[in-house]
Structure formats: structure tokens, C-alpha cells
């Protein structure tokens, strides 16, 4: 007998039937007037949802392509970039930027903590940076950054600096308002808190970022060039490169779901279910890796207790019906990662916690079946 497999990695996240139906529709032409209207609707509604009065880009690609798109359109060789890194994905910007001949300075926090805001302020006073990058949630450490405060600091000390936020594991799950938070580029993908299959590269940009792109003249990148896409984003009847039609429809459905829930309610739900999940994990004996005060609402990383082997535990969890993610970097082998974002719901979480209990039991741990589920439900009902 084969169990269902609940995907509890921090992206891709579980999909719901109404979104799956959109992804399974017969494909149409990108010039089909009905599709053109849907594409336009998605672009307009996403801008409203994230409080972005600049240009929104929704094109085919992964989350990493949106990182590359942000760097390519806002920086040129010789420019100075400050990377604020809270882990593996924060560090990814270093590689993206250095390949383009951009000078990179980095401030890193120890894993599980955030960079002190005073350190960032000091850096910005010391040197003129053309851009700053920060991951909203770094999926390697499950740490959430104070993107609003960082925006205020940049805006106060160095208002010309382009503020780039990687929202791949946060957008639509963790509070973010682009204009209000002085963000110039919010980049994200489709497979995490939006709850769609992977395949969309999404950018929310400010007028400042669009002006910066203009000032660069011709850039070496082709597919991710803002200037190639702006005419299509404003009138999707035009063609530059074929859009991922079924994913655009899926996003339209995802937006219906988000609007029905209410974006603020969705942010609060993520905070609440994350707190309940952390309690349940601690009840089973795991230790949350992220420090209190910066624990992400979208996923949790936790250390194993003594005697639990990573590979064996995750193999048993898979056999019990849930797919977990291994930990990265300095946590590798010592911790696992569990996602709790997007359209994953209480039903999924109860299933997941039960499977964790069964997997632990098979590893020989002393667990009382159902206890962590009780803790989760108790916390959620508060
Ligand atoms: C997943 C993730 C990415 C990379 O997205 P891909 O779609 O895998 O390329 C980038 N940044 C963060 C914070 C992520 O969680």
C-alpha cells in the first residue's frame, strides 16, 4: 500500500484542487483574447496585492531567475552591492553579482540570527552602495528579516540605493508592502507561499528601479531585460517570449483564494500556524534552530535530538506519507526543514505531525502518539 505523499518541503508547497484544475486546462494561444485579459488581470491584481505602484513582471522562470533579473536590471559591472545575508539564499546574490563584475560587500549573521540593524546602518554610512539585497525569509536558516526596518534605514541614510528583497519563501505568506516599505525590487516565484507549481518568475519594481534600468543603456542580458518585458506587461496582447499560460491561470486562481481569505488574514494565519507548528515540534523533542524574534512564519528548521539519524528519519517520514527537506550548510545532517506556507491547511499539518510522530517512533524515540497533534490544535485554537 502506497501512502499519499504530502509535500512539506519549504517549496514547492501543497496545491489545492482549484489551482490544479487551472494547471490542467488545455493550453491556448498566448494571443487568445481571453488569455490576454487573464494575464492583464493577474499583473494588475498582483500590483494591488503587494502595494506596488511601479511595474509588475510575471514571466516564465524559477525563483533564481528573478534574483538574476533584479541584479541585471539595477546594477552594472563596477557598481557596489551590499549583501545582507541570513544564510544560503542570501549568499546566492554574491555569486549572481560577482559574475557580472559587480563589487560585493557582505554582512552575514551567524546562522539562526539576523544581522543587527546598527551594523547595516554603519555600512551604509561608510560607503555608497548602488544596491542592497536581503532575503525576506532565508529558507536555509528559517530566519525572517525585518524588511520594513531595513527599508527605513536605507531610505534615511542612502535614499538613492536600490533596495532588493528576495521574497521567494515569503511573498503572499509574510507581510510585505512594496511602496510603503521603500522596496525597489521584490522578487519571488510561484511555488512557495502562492501555492502553485514552480515556473513563474515574479518581480515588483519601483519607479526608482525602472529609472535605474533606463540609466544603464543596453544591458548584456536579453530574456530578463525589463525593457523587453515592459511593453508586454502593459499590453499582454504583444509578444516577446511565450508566457507560461497555465501557470498564469493558476496564479489567477491563487489570487482569488488570497483575496477571498484577505491578505492580512493570510499573514496572520501564517504567523499563527507557524507558532503552533514550532510548539508541536518542540513537544516531540526537536529544537527550533532560529532564535526567538526572527523565526519565519513560512517554514521551520529544527535540530534532531540525540540518537535520531537524519537520513533514516526522513526516509521513515516519507514512508509515513510526508516529504521533508534536509538542512543546508552548517545544519546539514543535524536538522530538517518543514514548510508551512501557502495553501497548506490545518488538515495537512495534522497529517504531517502525525507522520512525524510515527517516523520518530520507528527511529526508536519515546513519543506518545497524538500528543504533538494535541499541542498543535491547542495552540491554533488560542
Ligand atoms: C527557493 C528560494 C530561492 C530559489 O528559487 P528557485 O525557484 O529554486 O530557483 C531563492 N530564494 C529563496 C529565499 C528561496 O527560498
Amino acid at each position: 500500500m502506497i501512502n499519499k505523499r504530502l509535500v512539506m518541503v519549504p517549496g514547492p508547497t501543497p496545491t489545492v484542487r482549484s489551482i490544479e484544475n487551472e494547471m490542467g486546462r488545455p493550453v491556448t494561444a498566448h494571443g487568445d483574447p481571453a488569455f490576454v485579459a487573464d494575464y492583464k488581470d493577474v499583473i494588475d491584481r498582483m500590483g494591488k496585492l503587494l502595494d506596488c505602484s511601479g511595474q509588475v513582471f510575471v514571466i516564465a522562470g524559477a525563483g533564481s531567475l528573478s534574483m538574476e533579473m533584479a541584479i541585471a536590471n539595477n546594477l552594472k559591472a563596477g557598481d557596489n552591492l551590499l549583501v545582507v545575508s541570513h544564510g544560503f539564499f542570501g549568499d546566492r546574490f554574491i555569486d549572481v553579482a560577482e559574475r557580472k563584475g559587480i563589487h560585493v560587500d557582505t554582512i552575514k549573521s551567524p546562522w539562526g540570527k539576523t544581522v543587527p540593524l546598527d551594523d547595516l546602518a554603519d555600512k551604509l554610512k561608510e560607503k555608497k552602495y548602488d544596491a542592497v539585497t536581503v532575503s525576506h525569509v532565508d529558507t536555509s536558516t528559517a530566519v525572517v528579516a525585518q524588511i520594513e526596518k531595513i527599508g527605513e534605514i536605507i531610505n534615511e541614510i542612502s535614499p538613492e540605493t536600490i533596495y532588493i528583497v528576495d521574497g521567494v519563501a515569503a511573498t503572499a505568506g509574510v507581510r510585505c508592502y512594496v511602496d510603503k516599505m521603500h522596496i525597489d525590487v521584490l522578487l519571488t516565484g510561484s511555488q512557495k507561499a502562492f501555492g502553485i507549481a514552480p515556473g513563474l518568475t515574479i518581480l515588483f519594481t519601483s519607479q526608482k528601479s525602472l529609472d535605474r534600468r533606463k540609466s544603464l543603456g543596453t544591458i548584456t542580458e536579453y530574456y530578463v531585460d525589463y525593457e523587453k518585458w515592459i511593453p508586454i506587461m502593459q499590453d499582454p496582447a504583444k509578444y516577446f517570449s511565450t508566457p507560461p499560460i497555465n501557470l498564469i491561470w493558476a496564479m489567477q486562481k491563487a489570487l482569488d483564494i488570497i483575496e477571498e481569505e484577505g491578505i492580512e488574514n493570510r499573514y496572520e494565519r501564517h504567523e499563527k500556524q507557524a507558532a503552533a507548528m514550532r510548539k508541536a515540534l518542540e513537544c516531540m523533542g526537536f529544537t527550533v534552530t532560529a532564535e526567538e524574534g526572527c523565526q519565519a512564519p513560512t517554514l521551520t528548521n529544527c535540530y534532531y535530538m540525540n540518537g535520531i539519524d537524519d537520513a533514516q528519519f526522513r526516509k521513515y517520514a516519507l514512508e509515513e506519507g510526508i516529504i521533508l527537506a534536509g538542512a543546508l550548510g552548517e545544519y546539514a545532517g543535524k536538522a530538517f526543514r518543514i514548510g508551512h506556507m501557502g495553501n497548506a491547511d490545518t488538515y495537512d499539518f495534522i497529517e504531517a505531525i502525525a507522520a512525524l510522530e510515527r517516523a520518530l517512533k520507528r527511529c526508536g524515540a519515546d513519543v506518545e502518539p497524538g500528543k504533538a497533534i494535541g499541542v498543535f490544535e491547542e495552540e491554533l485554537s488560542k
Side-chain angles (χ1 to χ4, degrees):
M1 152 112 194
I2 298 167
N3 268 327
K4 286 180 187 166
R5 281 193 175 173
L6 187 56
V7 55
M8 295 303 288
V9 301
T13 58
T15 50
V16 295
R17 174 51 67 194
S18 58
I19 285 177
E20 290 159 8
N21 287 345
E22 296 299 318
M23 297 194 289
R25 280 172 67 179
V27 76
T28 188
H30 49 284
D32 179 335
F35 172 72
V36 168
D38 290 338
Y39 200 176
K40 183 82 186 127
D41 178 58
V42 163
I43 294 162
D44 291 347
R45 282 162 73 194
M46 291 190 82
K48 286 198 190 91
L49 188 73
L50 271 300
D51 178 43
C52 174
S53 57
Q55 185 61 59
V56 177
F57 298 86
V58 184
I59 67 175
S64 300
L65 190 73
S66 63
M67 298 171 78
E68 185 141 29
M69 185 162 174
I71 297 296
N73 285 281
N74 289 280
L75 294 156
K76 61 179 186 307
D79 279 356
N80 291 306
L81 170 66
L82 179 61
V83 171
V84 178
S85 179
H86 298 130
F88 177 87
F89 288 102
D91 288 350
R92 183 169 281 195
F93 279 113
I94 303 171
D95 197 8
V96 175
E98 283 184 342
R99 281 161 190 253
K100 297 181 198 300
I102 293 158
H103 298 302
V104 180
D105 289 341
T106 309
I107 16 179
K108 288 191 198 208
S109 58
W111 277 38
K113 297 176 195 281
T114 48
V115 167
L117 296 176
D118 288 345
D119 291 4
L120 169 66
D122 290 346
K123 274 273 191 210
L124 290 172
K125 284 174 194 157
E126 244 169 65
K127 185 168 162 181
K128 173 108 187 51
Y129 288 100
D130 298 287
V132 172
T133 61
V134 62
S135 314
H136 193 172
V137 168
D138 198 301
T139 330
S140 62
T141 52
V143 156
V144 61
Q146 291 178 284
I147 56 158
E148 182 169 15
K149 293 227 171 80
I150 294 174
E152 281 166 13
I153 290 169
I154 295 171
N155 189 54
E156 199 181 299
I157 301 173
S158 181
E160 323 74 55
T161 300
I162 295 282
Y163 179 27
I164 298 171
V165 175
D166 173 355
V168 180
T171 308
V174 190
R175 197 166 279 104
C176 181
Y177 294 97
V178 172
D179 287 358
K180 217 176 295 165
M181 296 185 180
H182 307 288
I183 297 169
D184 295 301
V185 183
L186 171 68
L187 61 96
T188 193
S190 46
Q191 76 274 29
K192 300 195 183 176
F194 281 106
I196 311 169
L200 291 179
T201 287
I202 303 162
L203 259 78
F204 301 84
T205 62
S206 69
Q207 189 57 48
K208 192 167 100 195
S209 171
L210 297 169
D211 292 344
R212 172 68 60 87
R213 166 64 196 91
K214 269 218 182 84
S215 77
L216 299 179
T218 304
I219 62 171
T220 51
E221 289 77 8
Y222 181 73
Y223 178 73
V224 295
D225 188 351
Y226 283 2
E227 308 258 289
K228 294 283 183 200
W229 284 109
I230 289 170
I232 288 77
M233 295 301 107
Q234 293 180 349
D235 176 10
K238 292 184 179 148
Y239 169 78
F240 168 56
S241 174
T242 311
I245 292 161
N246 291 59
L247 289 177
I248 302 288
W249 280 330
M251 180 56 90
Q252 197 175 28
K253 184 53 72 180
L255 291 171
D256 289 347
I257 291 170
I258 294 169
E259 286 167 7
E260 192 189 329
E261 181 175 19
I263 191 71
E264 270 298 318
N265 292 338
R266 189 174 176 92
Y267 294 147
E268 276 161 32
R269 170 172 65 80
H270 275 77
E271 282 166 17
K272 203 162 178 180
Q273 72 201 17
M277 184 58 89
R278 288 192 295 266
K279 281 255 161 74
L281 290 163
E282 282 164 350
C283 159
M284 284 183 261
F286 297 112
T287 309
V288 174
T289 61
E291 220 173 47
E292 227 164 287
C294 64
Q295 295 166 336
T298 46
L299 82 151
T300 300
N301 237 357
C302 46
Y303 287 121
Y304 295 110
M305 42 290 211
N306 275 342
I308 306 295
D309 177 75
D310 175 43
Q312 190 173 49
F313 174 73
R314 286 192 291 121
K315 178 176 168 282
Y316 286 154
L318 183 60
E319 286 169 8
E320 295 299 333
I322 64 163
I323 308 184
L324 299 170
L328 303 170
E330 56 188 76
Y331 294 150
K334 296 184 223 158
F336 72 91
R337 299 179 298 148
I338 185 165
H340 33 77
M341 66 180 119
N343 297 325
D345 61 9
T346 306
Y347 180 96
D348 297 323
F349 299 135
I350 300 284
E351 287 297 318
I353 294 165
L356 289 174
E357 286 182 336
R358 293 194 298 274
L360 271 182
K361 193 135 196 115
R362 285 175 68 185
C363 286
D366 180 24
V367 282
E368 186 188 317
K371 191 171 170 205
I373 294 175
V375 167
F376 180 82
E377 299 214 76
E378 189 67 45
E379 189 64 27
L380 211 58
S381 67
K382 273 184 189 164

